[in-house]
PDB file of all heavy atoms in Angstrom:
ATOM      1  N   GLY O 377      96.460  85.132   9.717  1.00  0.00           N
ATOM      2  CA  GLY O 377      97.176  83.778  10.050  1.00  0.00           C
ATOM      3  C   GLY O 377      96.219  82.926  10.739  1.00  0.00           C
ATOM      4  O   GLY O 377      95.033  82.980  10.702  1.00  0.00           O
ATOM      5  N   HIS O 378      96.805  81.821  11.302  1.00  0.00           N
ATOM      6  CA  HIS O 378      96.144  80.781  11.997  1.00  0.00           C
ATOM      7  C   HIS O 378      96.279  80.924  13.474  1.00  0.00           C
ATOM      8  O   HIS O 378      97.071  81.657  13.915  1.00  0.00           O
ATOM      9  CB  HIS O 378      96.668  79.489  11.452  1.00  0.00           C
ATOM     10  CG  HIS O 378      96.392  79.233  10.017  1.00  0.00           C
ATOM     11  ND1 HIS O 378      97.307  79.630   9.083  1.00  0.00           N
ATOM     12  CD2 HIS O 378      95.321  78.715   9.457  1.00  0.00           C
ATOM     13  CE1 HIS O 378      96.741  79.346   7.937  1.00  0.00           C
ATOM     14  NE2 HIS O 378      95.587  78.791   8.081  1.00  0.00           N
ATOM     15  N   PHE O 379      95.400  80.190  14.204  1.00  0.00           N
ATOM     16  CA  PHE O 379      95.269  80.411  15.702  1.00  0.00           C
ATOM     17  C   PHE O 379      95.508  79.105  16.384  1.00  0.00           C
ATOM     18  O   PHE O 379      95.016  78.028  16.015  1.00  0.00           O
ATOM     19  CB  PHE O 379      93.889  80.993  15.998  1.00  0.00           C
ATOM     20  CG  PHE O 379      93.804  82.370  15.351  1.00  0.00           C
ATOM     21  CD1 PHE O 379      93.236  82.539  14.179  1.00  0.00           C
ATOM     22  CD2 PHE O 379      94.324  83.522  15.993  1.00  0.00           C
ATOM     23  CE1 PHE O 379      93.172  83.666  13.483  1.00  0.00           C
ATOM     24  CE2 PHE O 379      94.264  84.737  15.375  1.00  0.00           C
ATOM     25  CZ  PHE O 379      93.642  84.922  14.147  1.00  0.00           C
ATOM     26  N   GLY O 380      96.038  79.238  17.654  1.00  0.00           N
ATOM     27  CA  GLY O 380      96.296  78.108  18.444  1.00  0.00           C
ATOM     28  C   GLY O 380      95.126  77.772  19.402  1.00  0.00           C
ATOM     29  O   GLY O 380      95.070  76.684  19.976  1.00  0.00           O
ATOM     30  N   ALA O 381      94.292  78.790  19.448  1.00  0.00           N
ATOM     31  CA  ALA O 381      93.066  78.593  20.305  1.00  0.00           C
ATOM     32  C   ALA O 381      91.870  79.516  19.784  1.00  0.00           C
ATOM     33  O   ALA O 381      92.220  80.550  19.290  1.00  0.00           O
ATOM     34  CB  ALA O 381      93.354  78.912  21.745  1.00  0.00           C
ATOM     35  N   ILE O 382      90.687  78.984  20.008  1.00  0.00           N
ATOM     36  CA  ILE O 382      89.514  79.838  19.505  1.00  0.00           C
ATOM     37  C   ILE O 382      88.613  79.795  20.698  1.00  0.00           C
ATOM     38  O   ILE O 382      88.327  78.602  21.261  1.00  0.00           O
ATOM     39  CB  ILE O 382      88.886  79.317  18.309  1.00  0.00           C
ATOM     40  CG1 ILE O 382      89.915  79.279  17.052  1.00  0.00           C
ATOM     41  CG2 ILE O 382      87.711  80.085  17.963  1.00  0.00           C
ATOM     42  CD1 ILE O 382      89.378  78.580  15.842  1.00  0.00           C
ATOM     43  N   TRP O 383      87.986  80.902  21.138  1.00  0.00           N
ATOM     44  CA  TRP O 383      87.166  80.952  22.236  1.00  0.00           C
ATOM     45  C   TRP O 383      85.712  81.443  21.642  1.00  0.00           C
ATOM     46  O   TRP O 383      85.659  82.586  21.207  1.00  0.00           O
ATOM     47  CB  TRP O 383      87.666  81.919  23.307  1.00  0.00           C
ATOM     48  CG  TRP O 383      86.765  82.272  24.343  1.00  0.00           C
ATOM     49  CD1 TRP O 383      86.583  83.593  24.922  1.00  0.00           C
ATOM     50  CD2 TRP O 383      85.777  81.423  25.180  1.00  0.00           C
ATOM     51  NE1 TRP O 383      85.684  83.583  26.011  1.00  0.00           N
ATOM     52  CE2 TRP O 383      85.125  82.297  26.131  1.00  0.00           C
ATOM     53  CE3 TRP O 383      85.357  80.032  25.100  1.00  0.00           C
ATOM     54  CZ2 TRP O 383      84.187  81.862  27.017  1.00  0.00           C
ATOM     55  CZ3 TRP O 383      84.468  79.644  25.957  1.00  0.00           C
ATOM     56  CH2 TRP O 383      83.840  80.523  26.866  1.00  0.00           C
ATOM     57  N   ASP O 384      84.783  80.528  21.634  1.00  0.00           N
ATOM     58  CA  ASP O 384      83.582  80.835  20.991  1.00  0.00           C
ATOM     59  C   ASP O 384      82.350  80.751  21.964  1.00  0.00           C
ATOM     60  O   ASP O 384      81.898  79.748  22.390  1.00  0.00           O
ATOM     61  CB  ASP O 384      83.346  79.757  19.891  1.00  0.00           C
ATOM     62  CG  ASP O 384      82.088  79.893  19.093  1.00  0.00           C
ATOM     63  OD1 ASP O 384      81.137  80.440  19.583  1.00  0.00           O
ATOM     64  OD2 ASP O 384      82.051  79.516  17.919  1.00  0.00           O
ATOM     65  N   ARG O 385      82.218  81.991  22.546  1.00  0.00           N
ATOM     66  CA  ARG O 385      81.046  82.124  23.468  1.00  0.00           C
ATOM     67  C   ARG O 385      80.046  83.264  22.750  1.00  0.00           C
ATOM     68  O   ARG O 385      80.599  84.318  22.556  1.00  0.00           O
ATOM     69  CB  ARG O 385      81.337  82.526  24.850  1.00  0.00           C
ATOM     70  CG  ARG O 385      80.205  82.713  25.698  1.00  0.00           C
ATOM     71  CD  ARG O 385      80.347  83.631  26.759  1.00  0.00           C
ATOM     72  NE  ARG O 385      79.036  83.855  27.533  1.00  0.00           N
ATOM     73  CZ  ARG O 385      78.354  85.001  27.521  1.00  0.00           C
ATOM     74  NH1 ARG O 385      78.836  86.063  26.896  1.00  0.00           N
ATOM     75  NH2 ARG O 385      77.083  85.119  28.119  1.00  0.00           N
ATOM     76  N   GLY O 386      78.779  82.952  22.615  1.00  0.00           N
ATOM     77  CA  GLY O 386      77.991  83.924  22.022  1.00  0.00           C
ATOM     78  C   GLY O 386      78.321  84.212  20.620  1.00  0.00           C
ATOM     79  O   GLY O 386      78.180  85.285  19.976  1.00  0.00           O
ATOM     80  N   SER O 387      78.912  83.112  19.936  1.00  0.00           N
ATOM     81  CA  SER O 387      79.227  83.392  18.493  1.00  0.00           C
ATOM     82  C   SER O 387      78.512  82.404  17.503  1.00  0.00           C
ATOM     83  O   SER O 387      77.631  82.802  16.790  1.00  0.00           O
ATOM     84  CB  SER O 387      80.803  83.329  18.416  1.00  0.00           C
ATOM     85  OG  SER O 387      81.189  83.719  16.993  1.00  0.00           O
ATOM     86  N   LEU O 388      78.866  81.155  17.672  1.00  0.00           N
ATOM     87  CA  LEU O 388      78.038  80.094  16.821  1.00  0.00           C
ATOM     88  C   LEU O 388      76.589  80.314  17.130  1.00  0.00           C
ATOM     89  O   LEU O 388      75.781  80.196  16.296  1.00  0.00           O
ATOM     90  CB  LEU O 388      78.546  78.793  16.995  1.00  0.00           C
ATOM     91  CG  LEU O 388      77.724  77.636  16.387  1.00  0.00           C
ATOM     92  CD1 LEU O 388      77.734  77.713  14.900  1.00  0.00           C
ATOM     93  CD2 LEU O 388      78.309  76.282  16.732  1.00  0.00           C
ATOM     94  N   VAL O 389      76.391  80.606  18.528  1.00  0.00           N
ATOM     95  CA  VAL O 389      74.855  80.688  18.868  1.00  0.00           C
ATOM     96  C   VAL O 389      74.191  81.932  18.487  1.00  0.00           C
ATOM     97  O   VAL O 389      73.052  82.139  18.571  1.00  0.00           O
ATOM     98  CB  VAL O 389      74.748  80.440  20.389  1.00  0.00           C
ATOM     99  CG1 VAL O 389      75.102  79.167  20.853  1.00  0.00           C
ATOM    100  CG2 VAL O 389      75.367  81.594  21.142  1.00  0.00           C
TER     101      VAL O 389
END
Side-chain angles (χ1 to χ4, degrees):
H378 294 90
F379 297 91
I382 301 174
W383 169 222
D384 184 330
R385 178 210 176 244
S387 186
L388 175 61
V389 300

